[in-house]
């Protein structure tokens, strides 16, 4: 092969390698929009080396997430996989890796704890934690890193409080979570070690609570049942682990990215300060634009089918359906690149769609409303230290986020 031909091949392969580099300010990769207009269902190569299809149109993404002919069982020989080494998709007992009817059964047992009313009932507690964290941040004086002072501690505290897990252990969760979400293939041994430590921690926690019951979600899950059905020991441990990770990682990043989005759009921030009734729609716009990473795990088609855009999927073929790509589809969101806290009819799918729709969506919404509302109310002079261009975006992970968000006031 000539050098020219080789570099052309390599360039073509780079253009297909997933995950794509994020766009400016951690926005969706430009490749999503290019593909959506040229070929909304087209191949990509994953870090494992496996080739799968990438859906970039809203209707296709929604169809993949909602159609039960797409399975989360990636555990058979030859199944497409994100990483070459072990990752969380290998765990048959994790809720997010299950298909109906097992998934339906487990979801039915746990979802009573995550209704809109239960989330709303926690608003006062969430506000108290937010007030305390922001008071500490203020007392420390500017500048402060909003991620470590507020964005992560808030959802970690809330999920610990909800479950009845000691908040003092939260630094451990952050470390385990970073490992879990890493797509860096070199980190495989560290990921396995972190997984084992986390599993042992949760097993000890459940055992301790069985012998000395309390009144938290952990106790509720221990005794949770649907008619005569109960969570098995292994299911309980996986649910608790899943809630600790899912309960803080994404929310913390969306809080940080949401504050950054407002600071980058002073007119929108001013509109929100002027009319606090815009907070719910501002949070929905933040959800549309600021989900870190791509959102939406790899699925495999159990049947040959075609998607709304007309793209064909073969039986056994892997499909990635990033909610972030869907949320920027101009067919559904006029001027998708415009950050608009008044956006009407915002049918984003930041929390997914279908059977795996985010279990914590109601809680996350309340947390985001409290977090964003409190930051802008308490710090009228909030500003970035340095420009947005100087922020470091973390890559090599399933999430795309800033490592630090230095602010002053
Ligand atoms: C802004 C914050 C959040 C966002 C954007 C988000 C997004 C998502 C998305 C897109 C999915 C579906 C993934 C897929 O189908 O491949 C999901 C599932 C899930 N989320 Fe969230 N999430 C957030 C916060 C939370 C919180 C606070 C909790 C727990 C308290 C949580 C628990 C879960 C669980 C357990 C699942 C798996 C559900 C299932 O498989 O049935 N999430 N989330």
């Amino acid at each position: 092969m000539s050098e020219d031909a080789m570099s052309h091949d390599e360039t073509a392969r780079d253009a297909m390698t997933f995950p794509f580099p994020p766009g400016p300010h951690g926005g969706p990769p430009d490749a999503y929009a290019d593909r959506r207009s040229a070929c909304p269902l087209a191949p990509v190569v994953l870090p494992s080396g496996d080739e799968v299809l990438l859906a970039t149109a809203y209707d296709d993404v929604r169809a993949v997430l909602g159609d039960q002919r797409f399975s989360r069982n990636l555990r058979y020989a030859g199944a497409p996989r994100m990483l070459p080494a072990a990752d969380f998709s290998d765990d048959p007992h994790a809720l997010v890796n299950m298909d109906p009817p097992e998934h339906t059964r487990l979801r039915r047992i746990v979802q009573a704890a995550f209704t809109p009313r239960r989330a709303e009932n926690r608003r006062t507690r969430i506000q108290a934690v937010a007030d305390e964290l922001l008071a500490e941040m203020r007392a420390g004086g500017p500048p402060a890193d909003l991620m470590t002072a507020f964005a992560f501690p808030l959802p970690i505290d809330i999920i610990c409080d909800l479950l009845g897990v000691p908040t003092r252990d939260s630094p451990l969760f952050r470390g385990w979570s970073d490992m879990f979400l890493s797509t860096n293939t070199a980190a495989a041994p560290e990921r396995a070690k972190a997984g084992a430590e986390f599993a042992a921690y949760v097993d000890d926690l459940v055992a301790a609570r069985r012998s000395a019951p309390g009144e938290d979600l952990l106790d509720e899950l221990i005794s949770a049942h649907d008619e005569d059905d109960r969570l098995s020991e292994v299911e309980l441990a996986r649910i608790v682990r899943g809630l600790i990770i899912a309960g803080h990682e994404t929310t913390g990043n969306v809080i940080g990215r949401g504050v950054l989005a407002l600071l980058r759009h002073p007119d929108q921030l001013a509109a929100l300060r002027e009319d606090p009734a815009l907070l719910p729609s501002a949070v929905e716009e933040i959800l549309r634009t600021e989900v870190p990473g791509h959102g939406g795990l790899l699925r495999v088609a159990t049947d040959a089918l075609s998607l709304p855009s007309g793209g064909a999927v073969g039986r056994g073929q892997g499909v990635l359906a990033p909610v972030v790509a869907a949320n920027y589809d101009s067919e559904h969101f006029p001027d998708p690149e415009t950050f608009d806290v008044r956006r009407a009819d915002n049918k984003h799918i930041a929390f997914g769609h279908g059977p795996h729709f985010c279990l914590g969506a109601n809680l996350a919404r309340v947390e985001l409303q409290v977090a964003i509302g409190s930051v802008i109310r308490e710090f009228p002079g909030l500003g970035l230290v340095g420009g947005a261009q100087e922020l470091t975006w973390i890559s090599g992970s399933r999430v795309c986020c800033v490592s630090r968000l230095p602010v002053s006031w």
Side-chain angles (χ1 to χ4, degrees), residues 95-96 103 107 114 159 243 246-247 250-251 254 287 291 296-297 299 350-352 355-360 363-364 367-368:
L95 185 63
V96 79
H103 175 264
R107 192 82 199 200
F114 293 94
I159 195 68
L243 288 176
T250 319
T251 315
V254 176
L287 281 163
V291 168
L297 298 164
R299 265 86 168 157
F351 291 116
H356 292 280
F357 179 80
C358 178
L359 186 67
L363 180 66
E367 290 184 75
L368 286 167

PDB file of all heavy atoms in Angstrom, residues 95-96 103 107 114 159 243 246-247 250-251 254 287 291 296-297 299 350-352 355-360 363-364 367-368, ligand 1:
ATOM      1  N   LEU A  95     -29.249  -3.678  36.693  1.00  0.00           N
ATOM      2  CA  LEU A  95     -30.546  -3.331  36.103  1.00  0.00           C
ATOM      3  C   LEU A  95     -30.410  -2.884  34.651  1.00  0.00           C
ATOM      4  O   LEU A  95     -31.166  -3.292  33.763  1.00  0.00           O
ATOM      5  CB  LEU A  95     -31.149  -2.191  36.952  1.00  0.00           C
ATOM      6  CG  LEU A  95     -32.552  -1.721  36.627  1.00  0.00           C
ATOM      7  CD1 LEU A  95     -33.569  -2.838  36.846  1.00  0.00           C
ATOM      8  CD2 LEU A  95     -32.927  -0.507  37.465  1.00  0.00           C
ATOM      9  N   VAL A  96     -29.402  -2.060  34.408  1.00  0.00           N
ATOM     10  CA  VAL A  96     -29.248  -1.466  33.078  1.00  0.00           C
ATOM     11  C   VAL A  96     -28.772  -2.483  32.027  1.00  0.00           C
ATOM     12  O   VAL A  96     -28.837  -2.223  30.832  1.00  0.00           O
ATOM     13  CB  VAL A  96     -28.330  -0.215  33.182  1.00  0.00           C
ATOM     14  CG1 VAL A  96     -26.861  -0.588  33.255  1.00  0.00           C
ATOM     15  CG2 VAL A  96     -28.626   0.786  32.095  1.00  0.00           C
ATOM     16  N   HIS A 103     -35.880  -7.492  33.653  1.00  0.00           N
ATOM     17  CA  HIS A 103     -35.744  -6.069  33.912  1.00  0.00           C
ATOM     18  C   HIS A 103     -37.046  -5.497  34.477  1.00  0.00           C
ATOM     19  O   HIS A 103     -37.043  -4.747  35.455  1.00  0.00           O
ATOM     20  CB  HIS A 103     -35.347  -5.340  32.617  1.00  0.00           C
ATOM     21  CG  HIS A 103     -35.295  -3.861  32.779  1.00  0.00           C
ATOM     22  ND1 HIS A 103     -36.349  -3.036  32.448  1.00  0.00           N
ATOM     23  CD2 HIS A 103     -34.347  -3.057  33.288  1.00  0.00           C
ATOM     24  CE1 HIS A 103     -36.028  -1.785  32.741  1.00  0.00           C
ATOM     25  NE2 HIS A 103     -34.821  -1.766  33.240  1.00  0.00           N
ATOM     26  N   ARG A 107     -37.384  -3.650  38.122  1.00  0.00           N
ATOM     27  CA  ARG A 107     -37.761  -2.237  38.058  1.00  0.00           C
ATOM     28  C   ARG A 107     -39.033  -2.007  38.880  1.00  0.00           C
ATOM     29  O   ARG A 107     -39.159  -1.022  39.590  1.00  0.00           O
ATOM     30  CB  ARG A 107     -37.961  -1.940  36.584  1.00  0.00           C
ATOM     31  CG  ARG A 107     -38.103  -0.607  36.069  1.00  0.00           C
ATOM     32  CD  ARG A 107     -36.965   0.229  35.797  1.00  0.00           C
ATOM     33  NE  ARG A 107     -37.509   1.577  35.760  1.00  0.00           N
ATOM     34  CZ  ARG A 107     -36.973   2.614  35.214  1.00  0.00           C
ATOM     35  NH1 ARG A 107     -35.798   2.521  34.671  1.00  0.00           N
ATOM     36  NH2 ARG A 107     -37.544   3.774  35.221  1.00  0.00           N
ATOM     37  N   PHE A 114     -38.852   6.034  43.715  1.00  0.00           N
ATOM     38  CA  PHE A 114     -38.376   7.120  42.829  1.00  0.00           C
ATOM     39  C   PHE A 114     -39.507   7.855  42.116  1.00  0.00           C
ATOM     40  O   PHE A 114     -39.326   8.374  41.031  1.00  0.00           O
ATOM     41  CB  PHE A 114     -37.372   6.548  41.818  1.00  0.00           C
ATOM     42  CG  PHE A 114     -36.111   6.088  42.479  1.00  0.00           C
ATOM     43  CD1 PHE A 114     -35.949   4.781  42.866  1.00  0.00           C
ATOM     44  CD2 PHE A 114     -35.113   7.001  42.765  1.00  0.00           C
ATOM     45  CE1 PHE A 114     -34.796   4.366  43.523  1.00  0.00           C
ATOM     46  CE2 PHE A 114     -33.957   6.609  43.426  1.00  0.00           C
ATOM     47  CZ  PHE A 114     -33.808   5.287  43.801  1.00  0.00           C
ATOM     48  N   ILE A 159     -27.670  11.197  47.547  1.00  0.00           N
ATOM     49  CA  ILE A 159     -27.862   9.757  47.329  1.00  0.00           C
ATOM     50  C   ILE A 159     -27.419   8.970  48.573  1.00  0.00           C
ATOM     51  O   ILE A 159     -28.035   7.963  48.938  1.00  0.00           O
ATOM     52  CB  ILE A 159     -27.182   9.255  46.012  1.00  0.00           C
ATOM     53  CG1 ILE A 159     -27.696   7.862  45.616  1.00  0.00           C
ATOM     54  CG2 ILE A 159     -25.678   9.206  46.090  1.00  0.00           C
ATOM     55  CD1 ILE A 159     -29.107   7.811  45.180  1.00  0.00           C
ATOM     56  N   LEU A 243     -27.091   2.654  42.104  1.00  0.00           N
ATOM     57  CA  LEU A 243     -27.649   3.931  42.558  1.00  0.00           C
ATOM     58  C   LEU A 243     -26.552   4.881  43.034  1.00  0.00           C
ATOM     59  O   LEU A 243     -26.630   6.090  42.812  1.00  0.00           O
ATOM     60  CB  LEU A 243     -28.668   3.698  43.674  1.00  0.00           C
ATOM     61  CG  LEU A 243     -29.991   3.068  43.216  1.00  0.00           C
ATOM     62  CD1 LEU A 243     -30.890   2.790  44.416  1.00  0.00           C
ATOM     63  CD2 LEU A 243     -30.709   3.980  42.219  1.00  0.00           C
ATOM     64  N   ALA A 246     -24.828   5.964  39.539  1.00  0.00           N
ATOM     65  CA  ALA A 246     -25.745   6.734  38.670  1.00  0.00           C
ATOM     66  C   ALA A 246     -26.323   7.925  39.419  1.00  0.00           C
ATOM     67  O   ALA A 246     -26.668   8.931  38.824  1.00  0.00           O
ATOM     68  CB  ALA A 246     -26.875   5.833  38.179  1.00  0.00           C
ATOM     69  N   GLY A 247     -26.423   7.800  40.750  1.00  0.00           N
ATOM     70  CA  GLY A 247     -27.063   8.842  41.540  1.00  0.00           C
ATOM     71  C   GLY A 247     -26.231  10.093  41.714  1.00  0.00           C
ATOM     72  O   GLY A 247     -26.755  11.108  42.146  1.00  0.00           O
ATOM     73  N   THR A 250     -23.624  11.667  36.912  1.00  0.00           N
ATOM     74  CA  THR A 250     -24.209  12.487  35.845  1.00  0.00           C
ATOM     75  C   THR A 250     -24.763  13.789  36.409  1.00  0.00           C
ATOM     76  O   THR A 250     -24.558  14.860  35.838  1.00  0.00           O
ATOM     77  CB  THR A 250     -25.341  11.713  35.125  1.00  0.00           C
ATOM     78  OG1 THR A 250     -24.928  10.370  34.970  1.00  0.00           O
ATOM     79  CG2 THR A 250     -25.645  12.314  33.789  1.00  0.00           C
ATOM     80  N   THR A 251     -25.460  13.684  37.539  1.00  0.00           N
ATOM     81  CA  THR A 251     -26.078  14.891  38.099  1.00  0.00           C
ATOM     82  C   THR A 251     -25.014  15.931  38.430  1.00  0.00           C
ATOM     83  O   THR A 251     -25.172  17.122  38.127  1.00  0.00           O
ATOM     84  CB  THR A 251     -26.890  14.534  39.365  1.00  0.00           C
ATOM     85  OG1 THR A 251     -27.655  13.368  39.093  1.00  0.00           O
ATOM     86  CG2 THR A 251     -27.817  15.659  39.769  1.00  0.00           C
ATOM     87  N   VAL A 254     -23.851  17.533  35.296  1.00  0.00           N
ATOM     88  CA  VAL A 254     -24.852  18.426  34.687  1.00  0.00           C
ATOM     89  C   VAL A 254     -24.963  19.728  35.498  1.00  0.00           C
ATOM     90  O   VAL A 254     -25.128  20.802  34.925  1.00  0.00           O
ATOM     91  CB  VAL A 254     -26.223  17.723  34.518  1.00  0.00           C
ATOM     92  CG1 VAL A 254     -27.264  18.690  33.976  1.00  0.00           C
ATOM     93  CG2 VAL A 254     -26.103  16.527  33.576  1.00  0.00           C
ATOM     94  N   LEU A 287     -30.620  20.276  30.609  1.00  0.00           N
ATOM     95  CA  LEU A 287     -30.633  18.824  30.381  1.00  0.00           C
ATOM     96  C   LEU A 287     -30.479  18.505  28.895  1.00  0.00           C
ATOM     97  O   LEU A 287     -29.777  17.580  28.510  1.00  0.00           O
ATOM     98  CB  LEU A 287     -31.931  18.211  30.926  1.00  0.00           C
ATOM     99  CG  LEU A 287     -31.934  17.996  32.441  1.00  0.00           C
ATOM    100  CD1 LEU A 287     -33.351  17.793  32.964  1.00  0.00           C
ATOM    101  CD2 LEU A 287     -31.068  16.788  32.810  1.00  0.00           C
ATOM    102  N   VAL A 291     -25.891  17.102  28.915  1.00  0.00           N
ATOM    103  CA  VAL A 291     -25.626  15.733  29.362  1.00  0.00           C
ATOM    104  C   VAL A 291     -24.166  15.423  29.043  1.00  0.00           C
ATOM    105  O   VAL A 291     -23.721  15.627  27.913  1.00  0.00           O
ATOM    106  CB  VAL A 291     -26.560  14.720  28.669  1.00  0.00           C
ATOM    107  CG1 VAL A 291     -26.093  13.299  28.904  1.00  0.00           C
ATOM    108  CG2 VAL A 291     -27.980  14.876  29.184  1.00  0.00           C
ATOM    109  N   GLY A 296     -26.839   6.890  26.752  1.00  0.00           N
ATOM    110  CA  GLY A 296     -27.453   5.811  25.962  1.00  0.00           C
ATOM    111  C   GLY A 296     -26.403   4.742  25.705  1.00  0.00           C
ATOM    112  O   GLY A 296     -25.453   4.948  24.960  1.00  0.00           O
ATOM    113  N   LEU A 297     -26.586   3.612  26.362  1.00  0.00           N
ATOM    114  CA  LEU A 297     -25.587   2.540  26.278  1.00  0.00           C
ATOM    115  C   LEU A 297     -25.781   1.697  25.016  1.00  0.00           C
ATOM    116  O   LEU A 297     -26.849   1.724  24.400  1.00  0.00           O
ATOM    117  CB  LEU A 297     -25.689   1.661  27.525  1.00  0.00           C
ATOM    118  CG  LEU A 297     -25.400   2.415  28.835  1.00  0.00           C
ATOM    119  CD1 LEU A 297     -25.891   1.625  30.040  1.00  0.00           C
ATOM    120  CD2 LEU A 297     -23.904   2.699  28.961  1.00  0.00           C
ATOM    121  N   ARG A 299     -26.568  -1.141  22.451  1.00  0.00           N
ATOM    122  CA  ARG A 299     -27.591  -2.193  22.354  1.00  0.00           C
ATOM    123  C   ARG A 299     -27.250  -3.122  21.191  1.00  0.00           C
ATOM    124  O   ARG A 299     -26.508  -2.726  20.290  1.00  0.00           O
ATOM    125  CB  ARG A 299     -28.957  -1.593  22.033  1.00  0.00           C
ATOM    126  CG  ARG A 299     -29.885  -1.313  23.211  1.00  0.00           C
ATOM    127  CD  ARG A 299     -29.658  -0.031  23.818  1.00  0.00           C
ATOM    128  NE  ARG A 299     -30.734   0.329  24.739  1.00  0.00           N
ATOM    129  CZ  ARG A 299     -30.578   1.193  25.727  1.00  0.00           C
ATOM    130  NH1 ARG A 299     -29.406   1.763  25.937  1.00  0.00           N
ATOM    131  NH2 ARG A 299     -31.572   1.496  26.521  1.00  0.00           N
ATOM    132  N   ALA A 350     -32.853  13.510  27.478  1.00  0.00           N
ATOM    133  CA  ALA A 350     -31.647  13.418  28.314  1.00  0.00           C
ATOM    134  C   ALA A 350     -31.697  12.227  29.261  1.00  0.00           C
ATOM    135  O   ALA A 350     -30.659  11.659  29.610  1.00  0.00           O
ATOM    136  CB  ALA A 350     -31.487  14.710  29.120  1.00  0.00           C
ATOM    137  N   PHE A 351     -32.892  11.846  29.697  1.00  0.00           N
ATOM    138  CA  PHE A 351     -33.014  10.730  30.640  1.00  0.00           C
ATOM    139  C   PHE A 351     -33.288   9.410  29.918  1.00  0.00           C
ATOM    140  O   PHE A 351     -33.663   8.426  30.549  1.00  0.00           O
ATOM    141  CB  PHE A 351     -34.133  11.004  31.646  1.00  0.00           C
ATOM    142  CG  PHE A 351     -33.827  12.125  32.615  1.00  0.00           C
ATOM    143  CD1 PHE A 351     -34.583  13.286  32.629  1.00  0.00           C
ATOM    144  CD2 PHE A 351     -32.780  12.010  33.521  1.00  0.00           C
ATOM    145  CE1 PHE A 351     -34.315  14.310  33.525  1.00  0.00           C
ATOM    146  CE2 PHE A 351     -32.498  13.026  34.428  1.00  0.00           C
ATOM    147  CZ  PHE A 351     -33.258  14.182  34.438  1.00  0.00           C
ATOM    148  N   GLY A 352     -33.097   9.388  28.618  1.00  0.00           N
ATOM    149  CA  GLY A 352     -33.331   8.168  27.860  1.00  0.00           C
ATOM    150  C   GLY A 352     -34.802   8.025  27.512  1.00  0.00           C
ATOM    151  O   GLY A 352     -35.597   8.982  27.590  1.00  0.00           O
ATOM    152  N   PRO A 355     -37.787   1.217  28.262  1.00  0.00           N
ATOM    153  CA  PRO A 355     -37.714   0.453  29.519  1.00  0.00           C
ATOM    154  C   PRO A 355     -36.599   0.909  30.467  1.00  0.00           C
ATOM    155  O   PRO A 355     -36.744   0.807  31.670  1.00  0.00           O
ATOM    156  CB  PRO A 355     -37.457  -0.995  29.062  1.00  0.00           C
ATOM    157  CG  PRO A 355     -37.229  -0.955  27.595  1.00  0.00           C
ATOM    158  CD  PRO A 355     -37.718   0.359  27.074  1.00  0.00           C
ATOM    159  N   HIS A 356     -35.499   1.416  29.939  1.00  0.00           N
ATOM    160  CA  HIS A 356     -34.391   1.818  30.811  1.00  0.00           C
ATOM    161  C   HIS A 356     -34.423   3.305  31.144  1.00  0.00           C
ATOM    162  O   HIS A 356     -33.430   3.842  31.653  1.00  0.00           O
ATOM    163  CB  HIS A 356     -33.044   1.453  30.169  1.00  0.00           C
ATOM    164  CG  HIS A 356     -32.824  -0.021  30.086  1.00  0.00           C
ATOM    165  ND1 HIS A 356     -32.406  -0.775  31.170  1.00  0.00           N
ATOM    166  CD2 HIS A 356     -32.982  -0.891  29.059  1.00  0.00           C
ATOM    167  CE1 HIS A 356     -32.320  -2.042  30.800  1.00  0.00           C
ATOM    168  NE2 HIS A 356     -32.659  -2.140  29.519  1.00  0.00           N
ATOM    169  N   PHE A 357     -35.551   3.974  30.854  1.00  0.00           N
ATOM    170  CA  PHE A 357     -35.664   5.413  31.185  1.00  0.00           C
ATOM    171  C   PHE A 357     -35.147   5.624  32.602  1.00  0.00           C
ATOM    172  O   PHE A 357     -35.463   4.854  33.519  1.00  0.00           O
ATOM    173  CB  PHE A 357     -37.138   5.843  31.079  1.00  0.00           C
ATOM    174  CG  PHE A 357     -37.347   7.292  31.419  1.00  0.00           C
ATOM    175  CD1 PHE A 357     -37.081   8.277  30.481  1.00  0.00           C
ATOM    176  CD2 PHE A 357     -37.784   7.681  32.680  1.00  0.00           C
ATOM    177  CE1 PHE A 357     -37.258   9.621  30.789  1.00  0.00           C
ATOM    178  CE2 PHE A 357     -37.959   9.030  32.994  1.00  0.00           C
ATOM    179  CZ  PHE A 357     -37.692   9.997  32.047  1.00  0.00           C
ATOM    180  N   CYS A 358     -34.342   6.680  32.763  1.00  0.00           N
ATOM    181  CA  CYS A 358     -33.632   6.919  34.019  1.00  0.00           C
ATOM    182  C   CYS A 358     -34.528   6.771  35.257  1.00  0.00           C
ATOM    183  O   CYS A 358     -35.507   7.500  35.409  1.00  0.00           O
ATOM    184  CB  CYS A 358     -33.024   8.313  33.989  1.00  0.00           C
ATOM    185  SG  CYS A 358     -32.173   8.722  35.511  1.00  0.00           S
ATOM    186  N   LEU A 359     -34.126   5.872  36.130  1.00  0.00           N
ATOM    187  CA  LEU A 359     -34.876   5.630  37.366  1.00  0.00           C
ATOM    188  C   LEU A 359     -34.861   6.869  38.260  1.00  0.00           C
ATOM    189  O   LEU A 359     -35.812   7.129  38.993  1.00  0.00           O
ATOM    190  CB  LEU A 359     -34.231   4.448  38.106  1.00  0.00           C
ATOM    191  CG  LEU A 359     -34.911   3.914  39.345  1.00  0.00           C
ATOM    192  CD1 LEU A 359     -36.243   3.271  39.006  1.00  0.00           C
ATOM    193  CD2 LEU A 359     -34.017   2.907  40.055  1.00  0.00           C
ATOM    194  N   GLY A 360     -33.768   7.640  38.197  1.00  0.00           N
ATOM    195  CA  GLY A 360     -33.612   8.778  39.103  1.00  0.00           C
ATOM    196  C   GLY A 360     -34.009  10.112  38.485  1.00  0.00           C
ATOM    197  O   GLY A 360     -33.676  11.169  39.039  1.00  0.00           O
ATOM    198  N   LEU A 363     -35.773  12.657  40.805  1.00  0.00           N
ATOM    199  CA  LEU A 363     -34.852  13.165  41.824  1.00  0.00           C
ATOM    200  C   LEU A 363     -33.838  14.129  41.199  1.00  0.00           C
ATOM    201  O   LEU A 363     -33.568  15.208  41.728  1.00  0.00           O
ATOM    202  CB  LEU A 363     -34.120  11.978  42.483  1.00  0.00           C
ATOM    203  CG  LEU A 363     -33.118  12.337  43.562  1.00  0.00           C
ATOM    204  CD1 LEU A 363     -33.828  12.946  44.772  1.00  0.00           C
ATOM    205  CD2 LEU A 363     -32.323  11.107  44.004  1.00  0.00           C
ATOM    206  N   ALA A 364     -33.295  13.736  40.048  1.00  0.00           N
ATOM    207  CA  ALA A 364     -32.281  14.573  39.380  1.00  0.00           C
ATOM    208  C   ALA A 364     -32.867  15.939  39.025  1.00  0.00           C
ATOM    209  O   ALA A 364     -32.209  16.963  39.183  1.00  0.00           O
ATOM    210  CB  ALA A 364     -31.760  13.875  38.127  1.00  0.00           C
ATOM    211  N   GLU A 367     -32.984  18.023  42.124  1.00  0.00           N
ATOM    212  CA  GLU A 367     -31.615  18.415  42.500  1.00  0.00           C
ATOM    213  C   GLU A 367     -31.109  19.545  41.604  1.00  0.00           C
ATOM    214  O   GLU A 367     -30.507  20.503  42.073  1.00  0.00           O
ATOM    215  CB  GLU A 367     -30.675  17.216  42.395  1.00  0.00           C
ATOM    216  CG  GLU A 367     -30.926  16.160  43.448  1.00  0.00           C
ATOM    217  CD  GLU A 367     -29.909  15.030  43.371  1.00  0.00           C
ATOM    218  OE1 GLU A 367     -28.768  15.224  43.794  1.00  0.00           O
ATOM    219  OE2 GLU A 367     -30.249  13.945  42.865  1.00  0.00           O
ATOM    220  N   LEU A 368     -31.363  19.416  40.313  1.00  0.00           N
ATOM    221  CA  LEU A 368     -30.878  20.442  39.375  1.00  0.00           C
ATOM    222  C   LEU A 368     -31.579  21.774  39.605  1.00  0.00           C
ATOM    223  O   LEU A 368     -30.945  22.830  39.584  1.00  0.00           O
ATOM    224  CB  LEU A 368     -31.089  19.979  37.924  1.00  0.00           C
ATOM    225  CG  LEU A 368     -30.122  18.894  37.456  1.00  0.00           C
ATOM    226  CD1 LEU A 368     -30.602  18.273  36.155  1.00  0.00           C
ATOM    227  CD2 LEU A 368     -28.737  19.499  37.256  1.00  0.00           C
TER     228      LEU A 368
HETATM  229  C1  LIG B   1     -28.975  14.759  35.269  1.00  0.00           C
HETATM  230  C2  LIG B   1     -28.864  13.555  35.787  1.00  0.00           C
HETATM  231  C3  LIG B   1     -29.098  12.257  35.070  1.00  0.00           C
HETATM  232  C4  LIG B   1     -29.119  11.965  33.728  1.00  0.00           C
HETATM  233  C5  LIG B   1     -28.919  12.925  32.548  1.00  0.00           C
HETATM  234  C6  LIG B   1     -29.357  10.536  33.605  1.00  0.00           C
HETATM  235  C7  LIG B   1     -29.469   9.867  32.399  1.00  0.00           C
HETATM  236  C8  LIG B   1     -29.782   8.526  32.271  1.00  0.00           C
HETATM  237  C9  LIG B   1     -29.974   7.833  31.019  1.00  0.00           C
HETATM  238  C10 LIG B   1     -29.823   8.458  29.617  1.00  0.00           C
HETATM  239  C11 LIG B   1     -30.292   6.545  31.296  1.00  0.00           C
HETATM  240  C12 LIG B   1     -30.640   5.443  30.283  1.00  0.00           C
HETATM  241  C13 LIG B   1     -29.407   4.767  29.729  1.00  0.00           C
HETATM  242  C14 LIG B   1     -29.757   3.816  28.609  1.00  0.00           C
HETATM  243  O1  LIG B   1     -30.928   3.525  28.338  1.00  0.00           O
HETATM  244  O2  LIG B   1     -28.807   3.326  27.963  1.00  0.00           O
HETATM  245  C15 LIG B   1     -30.294   6.396  32.745  1.00  0.00           C
HETATM  246  C16 LIG B   1     -30.561   5.219  33.409  1.00  0.00           C
HETATM  247  C17 LIG B   1     -30.508   5.103  34.783  1.00  0.00           C
HETATM  248  N1  LIG B   1     -30.336   6.118  35.701  1.00  0.00           N
HETATM  249 FE1  LIG B   1     -30.012   8.084  35.304  1.00  0.00          FE
HETATM  250  N2  LIG B   1     -29.485  10.006  34.855  1.00  0.00           N
HETATM  251  C18 LIG B   1     -29.346  11.012  35.781  1.00  0.00           C
HETATM  252  C19 LIG B   1     -29.449  10.910  37.156  1.00  0.00           C
HETATM  253  C20 LIG B   1     -29.734   9.757  37.844  1.00  0.00           C
HETATM  254  C21 LIG B   1     -29.931   9.653  39.278  1.00  0.00           C
HETATM  255  C22 LIG B   1     -29.905  10.827  40.254  1.00  0.00           C
HETATM  256  C23 LIG B   1     -30.141   8.327  39.565  1.00  0.00           C
HETATM  257  C24 LIG B   1     -30.410   7.635  40.873  1.00  0.00           C
HETATM  258  C25 LIG B   1     -30.790   8.176  41.964  1.00  0.00           C
HETATM  259  C26 LIG B   1     -30.106   7.596  38.300  1.00  0.00           C
HETATM  260  C27 LIG B   1     -30.280   6.249  38.167  1.00  0.00           C
HETATM  261  C28 LIG B   1     -30.386   5.568  36.963  1.00  0.00           C
HETATM  262  C29 LIG B   1     -30.596   4.129  36.864  1.00  0.00           C
HETATM  263  C30 LIG B   1     -30.684   3.146  38.026  1.00  0.00           C
HETATM  264  C31 LIG B   1     -30.677   3.831  35.492  1.00  0.00           C
HETATM  265  C32 LIG B   1     -30.907   2.460  34.853  1.00  0.00           C
HETATM  266  C33 LIG B   1     -32.398   2.252  34.684  1.00  0.00           C
HETATM  267  C34 LIG B   1     -32.740   0.932  34.031  1.00  0.00           C
HETATM  268  O3  LIG B   1     -31.874   0.276  33.463  1.00  0.00           O
HETATM  269  O4  LIG B   1     -33.924   0.552  34.112  1.00  0.00           O
HETATM  270  N3  LIG B   1     -29.857   8.499  37.289  1.00  0.00           N
HETATM  271  N4  LIG B   1     -29.993   7.617  33.312  1.00  0.00           N
END
